[in-house]
Amino acid sequence: MSLCKKQLTFQVCFLRISCIHSSIKVREVRWELFIQNLQTFLERNFEGIKLESALFYSWKNGIRFEISHPSVFHDDPDFMIQAFDRAITLFDAVFTEEDDMLLVTDVHTTSCHDFLKKSPLNVYLKYVKQKKLLYKLHYDNMLNPYSEEDEKLVTHRFVLSCKTTDIRHRQLLQAICYEDFAHPTSILKNHQESGYDIYFINLSRNIMYHLYDDRVCDILAATKETIRFLYEKYNDWILEYDRNKIDLTFQ
């Protein structure tokens, strides 16, 4: 591991844990092995698809749900009520309290933006209940193959192995819904030039949940029967643009 990567692993991956509690000592981890395990899970259950935005279009067994009401304006006080309700309801439908999960956060930025070295990512500090779990937080970075020579695009990936009950998922889902708004809970509120994706991976049920923002939520499963109940129970929430494709999968 290069010196640069070691520095980023300590400064970013562990989110300055030593500043949170003086008794916690940062220890180096074999992040390569953990990232390999994530990839093994994707290869075994999802034919090796890549975690990326618009995840629905990368897999055969998935449902794309409309989260917010398209006819309600953003400045309407009731705009977020439906978004919060649907995002949380769908999450609770596919995760039980004792499910093993991976909380994956991808931060997309350019190589010249090093804000993660200077300030911690609030996803794990704020929404993980017990700080000792941050010992399990792993980090990797990936160069975007579509980068321009004069501006390299980089994805910083953080992966935490935990239980559903270990995270404040309702508050985190609400923060994701505020991605396009100037709100105190926004994930990258001081770095709008960068973007992010957060994936909730249910290892116990082989399901992936990706709330894109306040508009769309993708739920994928290794087998379509695992999420057929979502198709039947929340059919009127399905995004109309993709309904034909989804109907063909489940009918």
Side-chain angles (χ1 to χ4, degrees):
M1 185 185 296
S2 66
L3 178 59
C4 179
K5 189 140 193 173
K6 283 185 177 180
Q7 291 174 340
L8 198 52
T9 300
F10 279 97
Q11 294 178 0
V12 181
C13 178
F14 289 102
L15 308 177
R16 298 179 177 178
I17 297 176
S18 59
C19 296
I20 301 173
H21 198 290
S22 59
S23 66
I24 299 178
K25 296 182 180 180
V26 175
R27 58 185 179 183
E28 186 174 7
V29 296
R30 296 183 61 190
W31 59 267
E32 298 97 333
L33 179 59
F34 193 83
I35 297 300
Q36 182 181 0
N37 289 342
L38 169 61
Q39 187 59 36
T40 299
F41 169 82
L42 294 175
E43 290 175 355
R44 288 178 178 176
N45 299 286
F46 292 90
E47 299 179 0
I49 66 172
K50 295 182 179 179
L51 294 183
E52 56 188 6
S53 296
L55 196 60
F56 168 78
Y57 300 108
S58 300
W59 184 240
K60 55 191 175 184
N61 303 318
I63 308 175
R64 172 161 274 210
F65 292 101
E66 186 171 51
I67 297 302
S68 59
H69 201 296
S71 63
V72 179
F73 292 105
H74 284 190
D75 57 356
D76 189 310
D78 295 331
F79 176 78
M80 281 296 181
I81 293 179
Q82 176 176 297
F84 293 160
D85 178 67
R86 289 190 176 186
I88 293 170
T89 297
L90 291 171
F91 184 95
D92 290 341
V94 296
F95 283 88
T96 64
E97 291 185 352
E98 293 304 314
D99 283 342
D100 293 314
M101 66 174 292
L102 296 177
L103 177 60
V104 181
T105 303
D106 285 351
V107 178
H108 313 291
T109 187
T110 60
S111 57
C112 62
H113 291 143
D114 59 353
F115 65 91
L116 288 175
K117 291 183 180 180
K118 301 175 182 178
S119 59
L121 184 66
N122 66 0
V123 171
Y124 298 94
L125 284 179
K126 190 173 182 179
Y127 300 107
V128 174
K129 296 178 182 178
Q130 298 186 30
K131 297 301 180 262
K132 64 181 181 180
L133 285 177
L134 296 181
Y135 277 131
K136 297 182 179 181
L137 185 61
H138 296 253
Y139 166 81
D140 192 14
N141 66 359
M142 301 162 286
L143 182 64
N144 190 311
Y146 303 105
S147 299
E148 301 292 338
E149 290 187 5
D150 58 340
E151 188 177 44
K152 296 185 181 300
L153 300 178
V154 177
T155 295
H156 300 279
R157 172 164 290 175
F158 303 84
V159 185
L160 179 68
S161 175
C162 60
K163 296 282 189 180
T164 306
T165 53
D166 290 328
I167 62 173
R168 300 181 178 92
H169 69 275
R170 294 181 175 228
Q171 294 89 332
L172 178 53
L173 294 175
Q174 290 178 354
I176 296 173
C177 285
Y178 279 123
E179 178 179 358
D180 296 326
F181 300 85
H183 192 271
T185 64
S186 298
I187 303 297
L188 297 178
K189 58 184 177 181
N190 296 322
H191 306 282
Q192 294 300 314
E193 73 282 354
S194 301
Y196 71 89
D197 288 288
I198 297 179
Y199 306 94
F200 302 84
I201 300 179
N202 191 325
L203 300 177
S204 301
R205 303 177 67 184
N206 296 333
I207 295 175
M208 294 196 288
Y209 174 108
H210 179 219
L211 180 62
Y212 186 74
D213 54 19
D214 63 286
R215 296 167 294 176
V216 174
C217 178
D218 293 336
I219 298 181
L220 283 60
T223 64
K224 64 182 180 181
E225 295 306 318
T226 305
I227 54 173
R228 178 177 291 278
F229 77 99
L230 294 177
Y231 173 78
E232 296 173 350
K233 186 173 183 178
Y234 304 106
N235 192 277
D236 57 336
W237 294 6
I238 292 175
L239 186 67
E240 288 300 324
Y241 181 83
D242 297 299
R243 179 173 289 279
N244 289 339
K245 180 180 183 298
I246 296 169
D247 285 344
L248 288 173
T249 299
F250 291 93
Q251 291 181 354

